[in-house]
Amino acid sequence: MSQYQAGTLVVYGNLGVHEIEAVSPQSFCGEPAREYYTLRPYFSDSHDRSYIPTAKEGVLRPVSTPEQAAACLEQVRSEPDAAPASANQTVLAEHYQAVIHTNDFYEYLKLYRELAHKQSTQRSKGRKVNAMDAYFYQMAERTLREELAVAFHETPEAAAKRLEAAVS
């Protein structure tokens, strides 16, 4: 029995908010049919679809409720700035990947805040923003913006402002 039903909005890892279009048996490349979720990116007009076996639904999670999102935003806002995980780029990449793989709203918020402050510091010193930091920042920002937009029933642009206010 699948946990989610058609019409449900879920967060699919770092790919953002998706709508489950169907839960049905699918057969790919001659394999026996298995039950899959058919996912459509919620904030895209593209015809892209993702097929996730219901047995691997752990990569999906429900969109945060407004109460959960507000509590996490307040919590991250009240915490002191976190020190960077390391100056070593390999260690940082591993840290960023580990956070992204948690698929946890609060952990994404902390990473987004960490990277926003790091980029602000770099710019204030007249330095370029590290490409790896920019990549993970954009990934976290897009996912958070989409989730906040759904949670608070607002546009992604309004959600981006809410997100920015949380890390300022």
Side-chain angles (χ1 to χ4, degrees):
M1 179 75 185
S2 51
Q3 178 179 345
Y4 304 107
Q5 305 304 317
T8 303
L9 295 180
V10 294
V11 179
Y12 176 30
N14 64 330
L15 299 178
V17 176
H18 284 66
E19 180 178 8
I20 297 177
E21 286 190 326
V23 182
S24 60
Q26 300 281 337
S27 178
F28 296 101
C29 301
E31 292 285 323
R34 298 190 308 178
E35 191 171 66
Y36 280 81
Y37 292 112
T38 303
L39 304 177
R40 178 189 62 80
Y42 188 67
F43 288 101
S44 172
D45 292 334
S46 84
H47 296 287
D48 292 342
R49 298 298 182 265
S50 297
Y51 298 91
I52 308 298
T54 56
K56 302 212 180 208
E57 65 189 15
V59 299
L60 307 174
R61 68 173 171 78
V63 173
S64 298
T65 65
E67 297 78 18
Q68 291 167 328
C72 287
L73 288 167
E74 185 57 38
Q75 185 177 352
V76 82
R77 188 180 296 125
S78 67
E79 292 178 349
D81 291 345
S86 174
N88 180 300
Q89 292 299 300
T90 303
V91 172
L92 274 176
E94 290 171 358
H95 164 66
Y96 298 160
Q97 283 289 350
V99 171
I100 292 298
H101 283 41
T102 66
N103 194 20
D104 179 273
F105 179 75
Y106 182 68
E107 292 299 319
Y108 272 50
L109 275 174
K110 289 186 344 185
L111 177 64
Y112 176 79
R113 184 173 186 220
E114 175 185 333
L115 290 168
H117 286 168
K118 187 174 179 185
Q119 289 182 18
S120 176
T121 300
Q122 289 296 98
R123 287 186 184 112
S124 70
K125 292 179 180 178
R127 296 182 185 160
K128 285 185 176 181
V129 173
N130 177 294
M132 180 181 68
D133 292 347
Y135 172 77
F136 282 100
Y137 173 85
Q138 290 169 354
M139 186 184 306
E141 189 271 338
R142 188 192 77 244
T143 303
L144 291 166
R145 178 177 25 89
E146 288 184 7
E147 185 164 5
L148 288 170
V150 170
F152 290 110
H153 308 287
E154 59 192 11
T155 65
E157 294 77 21
K161 290 177 184 173
R162 183 185 297 268
L163 183 58
E164 186 62 33
V167 299
S168 300

